[in-house]
Amino acid sequence: MSGGAPHDLLDAIGGAPPTTSDVVVEARDVHKWFGRLHVLKGVSMSVRRQEVVVVIGASGSGKTTFIRCLNHLERIQKGRISVNGHLIGYREVNGKLVEDKERNIAAQRQEIGMVFQRFNLFPHKTALANVILAPVQVRKMPVAEAVEMGRALLDRVGLAVKADAYPGQLSGGQQQRVAIARALAMKPALMLFDEPTSALDPEMIGEVLEVMKELAREGMTMIVVTHEMGFAREVADRVVMMDDGQIIEEGTPEHFFTSPTHERTKAFLSKIL
Amino acid sequence: MTLANMDGGVFSLAVIQFDPSFFWHYLLQPSQGYLQGLALTFGLAVAGQTIGVVFGLLAAFARLSRAWPLRSIARGYTWIIRGTPLLVQIVFVYTALAAAGIFRFHDIDLGPFTFAGNIQAAIVALSLNEGAYMAEIIRAGILSVDPGQAEAAKSLGMTYPQSMRLVVLPQAARFVIPPLGNEFNSMLKNTSLVSVIGVQELLLSTNTLVSSTFRVFELLLVVATYYLLLTTAWGLVQSRIERYFGKSTAATDGPSFLERFAGFRLPIEADDAPEDL
Ligand SMILES: Nc1ncnc2c1ncn2[C@@H]1O[C@H](COP(=O)(O)OP(=O)(O)O)[C@@H](O)[C@H]1O
Ligand SMILES: [Mg+2]
């Protein structure tokens, strides 16, 4: 890894992004249907500033859907979600929630970084262009300033030399590190990760987890869907187990390693550990 | 066996009346008016295609919109245009609308030039027609882009127009460019249909010559050769454009087609999802 171990990630974006409230995520009784399929059945979660929450659960249990609701990539049909003190996706009109204007939703998403399982880098742009696109176009940051920040970010994730490479020329692990840099470039108050290492070859998982661990240590508020229990043990404050659209167990990583209570949790952990 | 010794056959050399010198003369030394017809054909094709692409973009966005009235209008538009002959559409726009007193195209004076009413109508009809075909091509191009791209753009705080302009459309272009080239090839030839409303493009210029010389065979060979030259020249340009796009995207290849489909999530139609909260 050029540039050595990941370091000073938040320093590269001018320090930890401001949070306006102590509770960064507040999801209450969130319900989501896909047509008739009831996918989230009353999920509540609150995440404090600088907290790292790992979400585990069997495939199809609703983990992806839940974190996509947190930045309104999915609509919800019941409940409410606030991030950094703002209601997400909806506004309150006479005590009823109505979907917010697209502009406002877009503005809210600027505060929430998201890292996808399949990276979703823009293939027609170089690594650096991927990182600075939104800062320049959305945050209206001057290009020179954005380039400086983008290069710093790429350096901190160990990819300074790949700034001008296209995603197609990068390995999966490198692409995912660019994707993390891209999300950080918006100076988000919260980072969401949806199985960021599950599309990677085993030898590349470590380099991505290192970046995420560093980010956690520097105090980024994070919700991470992952089955990497080593990561959870090292940096998670809390682990949340989802099953069939509900949170069935919640506790410290230690709790999950030593004394999980729910049968479904035990069965699930026995498969992944 | 040559034509000449086909005893008792239908063909005989005596029947074929072909004057090569007439043909070469009109092919190599076309009159000023004939060249104007050629220029008009090319101009109509460029105008029709350009405005057609704009209509196509609008209709494609309408088709992909969340608002069902927009979707219905766009669907109706492509249904009608693609389900009726272009020739009928041309006569409808120029002659039928005027006859019904709905709309009449008037000549517009632009100083030294006159923008003739029938040419306006020709451009309107050609672009409306082209728009319907381009709408399908552009829509398919947009849908071929991995939905994860638009989601990544959204997650970075981009609005829908920003994500379209900066992320989706540049990637849709590689799916749109090849069929767009084929559309322009058709457009070059389809302009000949506006001769029915009296636009002096290449075909009508030819017909005018035919009625004064009665040299149908030679003159149709001439006009066919001109169309062939136009479409062949375009073919060369097209293959250059495609090579350019092929090269610029080769290095930037993201996940392969198969990989894309493996992780494919169909975007849910807005009106399928329950809205009530
Ligand atoms: N866009 C969609 N349309 C319909 N059903 C979906 C969609 N996305 C997810 N689902 C369904 O919702 C359930 C939860 O999926 P997901 O949130 O992806 O689970 P996980 O991430 O835990 O594997 C699954 O049954 C899945 O099939
Ligand atoms: Mg998932």
Side-chain angles (χ1 to χ4, degrees):
Chain A
M1 212 158 105
S2 70
H7 60 283
D8 296 337
L9 293 159
L10 295 186
D11 179 60
I13 56 173
T19 48
T20 47
S21 72
D22 215 33
V23 178
V24 177
V25 179
E26 179 75 73
R28 256 194 284 142
D29 193 32
V30 172
H31 285 260
K32 165 83 194 168
W33 280 265
F34 282 116
R36 293 231 184 101
L37 190 64
H38 197 177
V39 179
L40 297 179
K41 304 172 179 171
V43 177
S44 298
M45 178 187 283
S46 105
V47 180
R48 279 173 290 110
R49 182 164 48 196
Q50 305 206 328
E51 207 178 3
V52 175
V53 176
V54 161
V55 180
I56 60 172
S59 171
S61 56
K63 306 179 298 294
T64 296
T65 306
F66 177 65
I67 68 166
R68 287 165 59 85
C69 290
L70 295 181
N71 65 356
H72 203 64
L73 285 180
E74 302 285 358
R75 296 172 175 178
I76 61 175
Q77 280 83 43
K78 190 163 175 273
R80 58 196 298 154
I81 296 170
S82 311
V83 172
N84 215 3
H86 310 296
L87 200 56
I88 291 293
Y90 301 89
R91 77 206 138 84
E92 210 151 5
V93 178
N94 305 326
K96 277 189 69 179
L97 293 186
V98 295
E99 188 158 29
D100 210 339
K101 284 203 218 69
E102 215 224 305
R103 290 200 78 76
N104 298 342
I105 297 172
Q108 292 165 351
R109 287 190 184 121
Q110 296 175 25
E111 304 190 346
I112 309 170
M114 188 167 215
V115 175
F116 300 85
Q117 190 171 355
R118 304 199 55 83
F119 332 133
N120 295 356
L121 288 182
F122 306 133
H124 59 303
K125 303 225 172 256
T126 63
L128 181 63
N130 265 273
V131 174
I132 68 171
L133 183 66
V136 170
Q137 298 285 342
V138 179
R139 288 228 191 269
K140 310 293 177 202
M141 188 186 280
V143 175
E145 191 184 320
V147 166
E148 193 184 331
M149 177 193 67
R151 288 200 185 277
L153 271 170
L154 287 174
D155 176 55
R156 310 294 160 88
V157 300
L159 290 172
V161 294
K162 296 294 186 184
D164 298 320
Y166 285 92
Q169 301 165 323
L170 299 176
S171 73
Q174 292 171 332
Q175 288 189 57
Q176 195 62 300
R177 284 186 277 151
V178 174
I180 294 172
R182 177 177 71 175
L184 284 175
M186 289 299 284
K187 311 186 180 184
L190 166 72
M191 285 282 287
L192 306 172
F193 294 82
D194 186 14
E195 303 205 36
T197 57
S198 64
L200 296 177
D201 292 335
E203 74 271 18
M204 294 171 187
I205 292 177
E207 66 195 49
V208 172
L209 289 180
E210 279 313 313
V211 172
M212 292 168 59
K213 286 177 198 167
E214 172 62 18
L215 201 50
R217 283 192 286 261
E218 291 181 20
M220 176 57 77
T221 312
M222 297 162 60
I223 300 179
V224 184
V225 176
T226 186
H227 295 155
E228 296 290 336
M229 293 307 283
F231 172 82
R233 169 174 261 164
E234 238 178 280
V235 297
D237 298 292
R238 197 149 40 106
V239 176
V240 163
M241 166 80 191
M242 281 188 74
D243 186 63
D244 194 24
Q246 287 175 309
I247 293 178
I248 58 166
E249 192 162 355
E250 201 170 340
T252 61
E254 228 29 56
H255 163 81
F256 278 83
F257 280 108
T258 55
S259 54
T261 49
H262 208 287
E263 281 312 314
R264 308 289 294 251
T265 313
K266 288 180 195 165
F268 177 73
L269 286 172
S270 74
K271 268 183 248 155
I272 63 160
L273 285 179
Chain B
M1 190 163 73
T2 66
L3 228 45
N5 58 28
M6 259 177 66
D7 264 333
V10 197
F11 305 103
S12 79
L13 278 180
V15 178
I16 297 179
Q17 301 206 349
F18 175 52
D19 182 345
S21 63
F22 187 94
F23 168 75
W24 288 115
H25 174 77
Y26 278 88
L27 186 70
L28 300 177
Q29 294 169 319
S31 67
Q32 187 71 22
Y34 203 75
L35 284 179
Q36 278 169 7
L38 178 69
L40 190 51
T41 285
F42 186 69
L44 284 170
V46 170
Q49 191 65 48
T50 309
I51 304 171
V53 168
V54 174
F55 285 168
L57 272 170
L58 293 176
F61 286 137
R63 279 293 300 268
L64 297 169
S65 153
R66 279 179 163 198
W68 70 261
L70 279 180
R71 286 206 303 278
S72 311
I73 291 170
R75 208 172 288 169
Y77 163 62
T78 48
W79 174 63
I80 291 169
I81 296 288
R82 284 158 40 108
T84 56
L86 174 55
L87 187 55
V88 172
Q89 292 161 18
I90 290 165
V91 179
F92 190 88
V93 165
Y94 186 60
T95 318
L97 288 186
I102 297 172
F103 187 81
R104 192 180 296 275
F105 286 89
H106 292 288
D107 293 358
I108 300 173
D109 266 321
L110 300 165
F113 302 104
T114 308
F115 191 14
N118 59 354
I119 295 182
Q120 297 165 36
I123 292 174
V124 167
L126 288 171
S127 14
L128 274 178
N129 180 269
E130 186 54 31
Y133 290 91
M134 282 313 301
E136 292 300 298
I137 290 168
I138 293 169
R139 188 175 82 101
I142 290 173
L143 290 177
S144 305
V145 177
D146 175 6
Q149 291 290 309
E151 297 196 334
K154 275 198 218 170
S155 78
L156 290 165
M158 289 186 208
T159 58
Y160 181 78
Q162 283 176 323
S163 86
M164 269 293 156
R165 181 168 56 86
L166 301 168
V167 173
V168 177
L169 287 179
Q171 293 182 66
R174 60 191 294 196
F175 300 104
V176 171
I177 297 290
L180 171 64
N182 296 340
E183 283 299 301
F184 188 63
N185 172 294
S186 304
M187 176 62 84
L188 284 166
K189 296 171 293 184
N190 284 346
T191 52
S192 62
L193 293 173
V194 304
S195 57
V196 296
I197 55 170
V199 176
Q200 279 284 347
E201 42 64 72
L202 202 49
L203 184 61
L204 190 54
S205 304
T206 309
N207 282 344
T208 312
L209 277 178
V210 167
S211 43
S212 59
T213 62
F214 302 104
R215 290 289 184 176
V216 186
F217 186 75
E218 290 82 353
L219 286 168
L220 273 138
L221 273 186
V222 169
V223 73
T225 309
Y226 273 110
Y227 279 116
L228 203 52
L229 284 173
L230 280 176
T231 52
T232 306
W234 171 244
L236 295 176
V237 174
Q238 188 185 353
S239 58
R240 289 202 143 215
I241 295 175
E242 281 176 25
R243 227 178 4 233
Y244 171 78
F245 270 87
K247 202 164 57 196
S248 75
T249 46
T252 70
D253 255 346
S256 75
F257 247 92
L258 274 178
E259 285 178 285
R260 282 182 180 172
F261 277 101
F264 201 88
R265 306 182 106 182
L266 275 179
I268 23 163
E269 288 259 12
D271 47 354
D272 294 342
E275 297 256 22
D276 51 308
L277 259 157

